[in-house]
């Protein structure tokens, strides 16, 4: 671009490179990187996203399995089995049926199962007494 202001290089803004004459044919060299690098970069990014999503899915499955194991541990049927094994330990019929109603509360089930066996009847009795006192 010499001093002629009317000269406009149409290819200058496109970044397409220079014209070369090789073996009598005009060849154009590219000034921009080959699009393959860009495609590889996109593929690598896509692969990273897929890997991250797979890790999230695996973690979610592990969490769900842990929750299910925890829920199974404090399931109503497990509480009833433990309650049935407590017959003869000061557990009368009223307290037994009260416990069945109490087991509808997941926190009560967890507390009941988590207590040492010798404390379960005392805990149930205190809950029973508290409910009888508040009902009066």
């Amino acid at each position: 671009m010499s001093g002629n202001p009317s000269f406009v290089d149409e290819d200058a803004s496109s970044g397409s490179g220079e014209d070369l004459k090789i073996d009598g044919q005009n060849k154009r060299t590219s000034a921009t990187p080959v699009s393959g690098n860009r495609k590889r970069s996109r593929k690598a990014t896509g692969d990273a996203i897929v890997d991250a999503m797979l890790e999230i899915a695996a973690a979610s499955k592990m969490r769900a399995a842990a929750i299910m194991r925890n829920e199974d541990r404090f399931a109503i049927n497990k509480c009833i089995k433990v309650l049935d094994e407590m017959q003869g330990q000061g557990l009368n019929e009223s307290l037994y049926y009260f416990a069945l109603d109490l087991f509808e509360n997941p926190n009560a089930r967890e507390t009941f199962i988590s207590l040492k066996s010798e404390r379960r009847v005392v805990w149930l009795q205190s809950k029973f007494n508290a409910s009888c006192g508040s009902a009066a």
Side-chain angles (χ1 to χ4, degrees), residues 12 23 65 85-86 91 125 132:
D23 294 330
E85 291 170 356
M86 293 171 55
L91 189 67
Q125 191 66 53
C132 290

Side-chain angles (χ1 to χ4, degrees), residues 70 73-75 79 102-103 105-115 120 123:
N70 201 30
R73 184 174 170 216
F74 305 119
C79 292
L102 189 64
F103 294 156
N105 178 338
N107 291 330
R109 292 195 305 264
E110 184 174 350
T111 302
F112 177 77
I113 294 296
S114 299
L115 287 170
R120 289 179 180 143
W123 178 78

